[in-house]
Amino acid sequence: MGAWGKRLVAIGVAVVLLAVVALVASAVHLLPQLRNPFAEKTEERSGPVLLQSIVELSRYEAASGSFQVVVDIKTSSILPSFLSGSDTLFIGVGTDNAYVDFSKLKGDAVKVSDDRLSATLTLAHAQLEPATLDTKESYVYAQQQGLFTRINDFLSGNPNSQQALYQLAQKQIEGAAAKSTLVADAERNTKTMLIGLLQSLGFKNVVVNYAENTG
């Protein structure tokens, strides 16, 4: 073996020795810990982090209902009904949705146990969106108008009459939705969704409560 060969062997031995010394020093904390590129990283999802994740969902559209209402509008005057006035029966068809708002959650709305096995969430009650009237499915079922009223509507076009029917139908759908189980269904569906979500993250015990004020 020539002089260059002996030098290369000596350099190789020195590199190996330095690597061994570095590993030993790292093990006894003489040098900063060397990171294992293959090691798994565990992220702790504490209460504030979990709360922020839920807040980022914004709102959960949890239930939707279809409704059909009857709107009866009658106008009259001092003249006989065959001359003036009208009686309109309008069938309004539409939908309303219930949702739970996550965007304003804060503070203790989400509590996580130290062992990260239990979580308690306190949410605001579900709310109803403004109803949406399906103008294609809604229709005038029956209408009676006096002679003068028909003439006046024909000459003026009376665009406000139909709009008034739509607005009344929308309000009645919202009233029907408020009396239905839509809000309760939305809260139950939201609770089921959140329990499933948190259980998939490793929580064993999940409690979801509803309160007027959250945070």
Side-chain angles (χ1 to χ4, degrees), residues 40-56:
E40 293 184 357
K41 181 181 178 181
T42 301
E43 179 182 359
E44 180 185 357
R45 296 187 62 83
S46 60
V49 177
L50 183 60
L51 172 60
Q52 183 61 32
S53 298
I54 295 176
V55 169
E56 289 174 355

Side-chain angles (χ1 to χ4, degrees), residues 49-193:
V49 177
L50 183 60
L51 172 60
Q52 183 61 32
S53 298
I54 295 176
V55 169
E56 289 174 355
L57 293 176
S58 183
R59 67 163 58 182
Y60 181 59
E61 302 286 345
S64 179
S66 297
F67 300 90
Q68 179 173 294
V69 297
V70 178
V71 179
D72 189 358
I73 298 181
K74 185 174 182 178
T75 61
S76 60
S77 69
I78 59 175
L79 296 176
S81 60
F82 70 90
L83 290 178
S84 179
S86 66
D87 191 354
T88 303
L89 202 62
F90 181 77
I91 307 299
V93 179
T95 59
D96 205 347
N97 300 322
Y99 67 95
V100 175
D101 188 4
F102 297 147
S103 64
K104 297 179 182 179
L105 294 181
K106 57 183 179 180
D108 294 333
V110 176
K111 296 181 180 179
V112 178
S113 63
D114 293 337
D115 58 7
R116 292 193 69 256
L117 294 179
S118 301
T120 301
L121 288 73
T122 303
L123 311 174
H125 284 288
Q127 305 176 56
L128 290 171
E129 293 180 343
T132 300
L133 183 69
D134 188 340
T135 56
K136 293 183 178 180
E137 295 294 328
S138 303
Y139 58 94
V140 174
Y141 179 77
Q143 186 176 51
Q144 293 181 345
Q145 290 181 309
L147 177 61
F148 295 161
T149 301
R150 290 199 302 269
I151 294 175
N152 181 67
D153 288 349
F154 175 77
L155 293 177
S156 65
N158 200 16
N160 295 327
S161 177
Q162 189 176 37
Q163 186 63 29
L165 287 173
Y166 289 169
Q167 291 175 351
L168 286 173
Q170 181 182 9
K171 291 297 182 182
Q172 287 200 19
I173 290 174
E174 291 174 355
K179 295 178 181 178
S180 72
T181 62
L182 203 56
V183 168
D185 292 343
E187 294 184 354
R188 184 180 64 253
N189 294 341
T190 301
K191 181 177 180 179
T192 300
M193 182 276 292

